[in-house]
Amino acid sequence: MSERWKYQIKTGAPWGIFMIVITLVFSLKEKPFATQITDYNFYLRAVGYILFGIFVLGYSSWKNKTKKNKP
């Protein structure tokens, strides 16, 4: 696996997981935790957050990192 993909996964996946947790916490007022976890939309959103984090945020972060490291 290339350095770019490793970097994108290291930066994007934690962001996606963080967003899942934040969404769960803020939705606790409306639905209980067990109901949220068993809902199909929860998993769809989770995959979406993680993929967005890896492909969009990870890539843009990689681009900024390479720009800073160029002499």
Side-chain angles (χ1 to χ4, degrees):
M1 191 181 302
S2 70
E3 282 298 314
R4 184 186 78 151
W5 281 107
K6 289 179 186 176
Y7 184 81
Q8 282 183 232
I9 291 171
K10 285 180 188 176
T11 57
W15 180 85
I17 294 169
F18 175 75
M19 289 302 294
I20 293 165
V21 171
I22 292 299
T23 306
L24 275 172
V25 170
F26 282 119
S27 298
L28 282 175
K29 293 178 183 177
E30 299 167 9
K31 293 182 186 177
F33 179 76
T35 306
Q36 289 184 45
I37 294 295
T38 58
D39 190 17
Y40 173 75
N41 289 330
F42 168 77
Y43 293 106
L44 190 62
R45 253 189 329 219
V47 169
Y49 281 137
I50 292 173
L51 290 177
F52 181 82
I54 291 172
F55 288 106
V56 176
L57 296 177
Y59 181 74
S60 64
S61 178
W62 172 259
K63 282 296 198 185
N64 288 335
K65 179 184 174 190
T66 56
K67 283 181 184 179
K68 289 180 183 178
N69 291 341
K70 281 188 178 179

